[in-house]
Amino acid sequence: TQSTRPQRLLGAVQKNATRGDPRSVVQAIDQFCRQKEWAMNVGDEKGCILDSVVSEVNPATVLELGTYCGYSTVRIASLLPPHAKLITLEFNPDFAAIARQVIAWAGLEDKVHLIEGASGDWIPKMTEQFGVKTFDLVFLDHWKDRYLPDTMLMEECGLLRKGSILLADNVICPGTPDYLEYVRSSPRYESQYFKSHLEYTKVEDGLEKSVFLG
Ligand SMILES: Cc1ncnc2c1ncn2[C@@H]1O[C@H](/C=C/CNC(=O)c2cc(-c3ccc(F)cc3)cc(O)c2O)[C@@H](O)[C@H]1O
Ligand SMILES: [Mg+2]
């Protein structure tokens, strides 16, 4: 039977990356996506911006919405301090299965909690299920029409504290107009746009970093 693109991406990791070496996993995926098949990972260019924000925030608790194959999960987890926790939500079981293997190949399974389920169902359960009071950093990279409702839901559930950082992928391409309007106009956020390019292309895209002001 035909393999899927995520399966071929995992194959490239297992073939070209060194077990336990997150940077080699990231490099293997970027090489695969540049040379073989485009895939919707945040990519190397926007990935450097993601790395700098993670390093600056030095978060103890991170939430990622939309794991896909685990590329940004590996980038983020590889920069976390020893006891930090990254919770990543993915509702497609096939993608979740690939992501688990990518995360394991990088040797980061102890830092990552991959939950198979929908963000809308799981955001309200974060405190009771994982003892998370608030998130220091949230990376939004799931369906673009879910960014705004899930941000409002996180506010309602008290998961954001003064200083929590939201970092959103694809605010230009494919675009998240309602989310962008919200975080840029709300007095409860201080927003900043990091201009970049759509992964592995010359098309404009960027990340929006928004600080929750409480
Ligand atoms: C509510 C809920 N709960 C849990 N998991 C959820 C969830 N909603 C989605 N997911 C999961 O997250 C990923 C989905 C990511 C969506 N990302 C994009 O659509 C995307 C697209 C492009 C793109 C740009 C130009 C083009 F021409 C074509 C595509 C680039 C990107 O970077 C993207 O992120 C995927 O793994 C999906 O199962
Ligand atoms: Mg994206």
Side-chain angles (χ1 to χ4, degrees), residues 52-126:
S52 60
V53 171
V54 174
S55 302
E56 175 200 332
V57 177
N58 200 33
T61 55
V62 184
L63 176 63
E64 175 179 63
L65 302 177
T67 316
Y68 188 43
C69 296
Y71 174 90
S72 47
T73 321
V74 167
R75 282 198 90 115
I76 296 167
S78 69
L79 296 172
L80 293 183
H83 305 291
K85 263 274 165 258
L86 193 174
I87 296 172
T88 184
L89 304 184
E90 174 53 59
F91 65 12
N92 180 308
D94 301 325
F95 296 163
I98 297 293
R100 285 189 205 287
Q101 295 173 80
V102 168
I103 293 160
W105 198 269
L108 293 167
E109 54 275 57
D110 295 347
K111 288 185 174 297
V112 176
H113 230 102
L114 195 164
I115 299 170
E116 232 170 283
S119 51
D121 299 337
W122 278 92
I123 284 171
K125 296 186 207 167
M126 281 300 146

Side-chain angles (χ1 to χ4, degrees), residues 150-198:
D150 284 349
T151 296
M152 293 173 154
L153 186 58
M154 287 187 284
E155 288 177 18
E156 277 159 41
C157 297
L159 289 171
L160 304 179
R161 50 127 177 114
K162 190 173 167 37
S164 290
I165 304 286
L166 303 184
L167 189 64
D169 190 26
N170 311 116
V171 295
I172 303 299
C173 177
T176 62
D178 58 346
Y179 172 81
L180 219 41
E181 164 59 28
Y182 180 75
V183 290
R184 288 179 174 175
S185 61
S186 164
R188 302 181 75 187
Y189 290 91
E190 181 58 45
S191 256
Q192 183 184 3
Y193 174 59
F194 290 82
K195 185 174 170 18
S196 184
H197 294 95
L198 176 67

